[in-house]
Amino acid sequence: MTVKETAMKRKEILLITAVALGTLLNPLNTTMISVALARLQEDFQLTFADVSWLISTYYLASAIGQPLMGKWSDLFGRKKVFMLGLLLVTLSSSLAPLSPSFGWLIGFRIIQALGSSALFPSGMGMIRSQITSNQAKALGILSIFSSTSAAFGPSLGGFLLHYGDWPLIFLCNFPFIIGSFVLAWKLFPRDPKTTGRAADMDWWGVALFSATIFMWLLFFLSLADRVSIWELLVGVGLSVLLYRYERRHSKPFINVTFLRNNMTVTRIYAQFILTNIAFYSIMFGIPSYLQRVQKMDPQQTGLVMLSIAGVSVLVTPLVARWIDRSGSKPPLIAGTALVVGGSLLLLVIQDQASAVTIFLVLCVLGIANGFNNLGMQTALYHFVTKEETGIASGLFMTSRFIGTILSSSLLAALFGKNITTPHLHSMAWTCAVLGLLMLALTARMPSGNVHKAVE
C-alpha cells in the first residue's frame, strides 16, 4: 500500500468515526434514560404512564425528524444539516438538566430527538458520497454501531445514575458531540451549491405523516384504560389518506410507491417494526421492573442489562460469518426463534429472583438481538439496488421508530398504574407472540447469499 493510499484509508476511517460518533447519539439517548424512569417518577411525582410520554415524544419526534432531516440534507447540504443536528443536541443536552418541570424536560428531549435525527441521514449520505470502495461495509458498520449503542444505553445510564443523578445522562453526550463536531468540521467537504428551497418539501405529506403517527400513539396509549373507537377510526382514516396522497405526489415524504413495488422489502420493514416493539419493550420494561420489584439500585440494574448488549456484541462476528456463507435467512430464523424462547423464559422470573437467573434469561434475548440486527440490515441491502440504498435506509430507520413508539404504548398499557411480576409475564407473552409473527415473516423471505449481493 502506497503512502497516498494509506493516507486515504486513514481519512476514510476518521470520516466513518465522525459520522459514527454523531449517529450513536439518537439510539444511545433512546435507551440510556430507561434506568432513570424510576428516579424521574420520584422527582416529578409521576406514574409510569405519565413518564412514558418522555419516551413516546422522543420516538415521535425521531420518526418525523429522520425522513424530514434526510430530505433537508439533500436540499440544503449534508454538512450543514449534520452540524445543525450537533448544535441542537448540544443545546438540549445543556438545558435539559435545568428543567424546572416535567413539561420542560419533554420539550428539551424533543429538541434532542430532532437534532440527533439529522445525524443519521446526513451522515449516511456523506459516507455514500465520499467512500467509493467497500461502501456497503462502511454502511453496515455504521448501522451495527448504531444498534449496539442502543443496547449499551441502559448499562451506561445505570452507572451514571449510581455516581450522580439523571442530569448526567444528558451531560455525558458532550464527549461524543465534541469528537464528532471536530472531525466533521475538519474532514467533511464543503456542501456544493444547491438550488433547494423549503417549498420543495412535501409539507402536506409531513403533516399527514405526523398526524397519523400521533393519532396511533394516542390510540395505543389509551389502551391502558379503555379502547377509544374514535381514535382507532381516525388513525385508520389518516393512514388511508396518507397512502393515497403520497402515491400521487411526485416527490413524496414517504415513498409508498417504493413500498408497494418492493413487497419483500416491505415485509422486512414490517418485521423490523415487530422486532423493535419486542426489543424496546424489554429494554424499557425490565430496568423499571428490576428497580421497582426486585429492588435493585441503578448500578445493579445497569450490570444486569449489560447481558443484552454484551452478548449481542459477542455474537455479531459469528453471525456475520454465517451470513457470508448462507445468507441472512437462516440467522434470522434462529434469531426470531430465540425471541420466542427468551420471552417465554421471562416467565421463570418471580419476586425476589436472583440476579444471575435474570442475567442468564436476558443473555438469550441478547443473542436474539445480535442475530436480528445484523440479519435485518443485510437482508435489506440484498433486496434493494444501490440507487435505492438512500430511500431504503431512511424507511428502515422510520420503521425502527414506529416500533419504538408502539413499544412505549405497550408498556404504558401494561405498566401504566403499577409494575408487578404478573405485568412482566404479560409483557413476556406479548413479546413471544411478536416473535412468532416475526418467524412467519422470515419464513416467507426468499433465500440468497446477501454478502455476494451487497458486494
Side-chain angles (χ1 to χ4, degrees), residues 17-26 28-29 32 82 86 89-90 93 119 145 149 152-153 156 160 168-184:
T17 303
V19 176
L21 289 173
T23 55
L24 70 80
L25 288 169
N26 187 282
L28 183 65
N29 282 280
M32 191 163 50
F82 192 90
L86 288 175
V89 177
T90 301
S93 298
L119 303 173
F145 199 82
S149 65
F152 275 105
L156 177 58
L160 292 172
L168 282 181
I169 286 177
F170 293 93
L171 298 177
C172 81
N173 288 315
F174 283 99
F176 304 110
I177 295 170
I178 293 169
S180 182
F181 188 91
V182 171
L183 289 173

Side-chain angles (χ1 to χ4, degrees), residues 12-49:
E12 287 182 356
I13 292 171
L14 290 174
L15 186 70
I16 293 173
T17 303
V19 176
L21 289 173
T23 55
L24 70 80
L25 288 169
N26 187 282
L28 183 65
N29 282 280
T30 298
T31 58
M32 191 163 50
I33 204 166
S34 62
V35 293
L37 296 181
R39 188 76 60 86
L40 288 167
Q41 282 182 255
E42 295 172 3
D43 284 2
F44 293 105
Q45 298 182 344
L46 304 167
T47 66
F48 189 88

Side-chain angles (χ1 to χ4, degrees), residues 177-197:
I177 295 170
I178 293 169
S180 182
F181 188 91
V182 171
L183 289 173
W185 183 269
K186 185 176 181 180
L187 296 172
F188 283 14
R190 283 189 177 185
D191 292 320
K193 289 186 178 180
T194 60
T195 57
R197 299 173 299 125

Side-chain angles (χ1 to χ4, degrees), residues 15 54 156 213 221 251 285 342 356 391 452:
L15 186 70
L54 195 66
L156 177 58
I213 293 294
L221 288 175
K251 297 180 180 178
V356 174
I391 183 174
K452 291 180 180 177

Side-chain angles (χ1 to χ4, degrees), residues 23 55 103 132 153-154 160 165 171 206 214 255 268 306 310 322 339 366 369 407 414 439:
T23 55
I55 307 168
T132 54
L160 292 172
D165 205 347
L171 298 177
V206 174
F214 184 69
N255 196 328
I268 290 174
L306 190 60
W322 191 3
V339 171
N369 181 52
S407 74
L414 294 175
L439 195 57

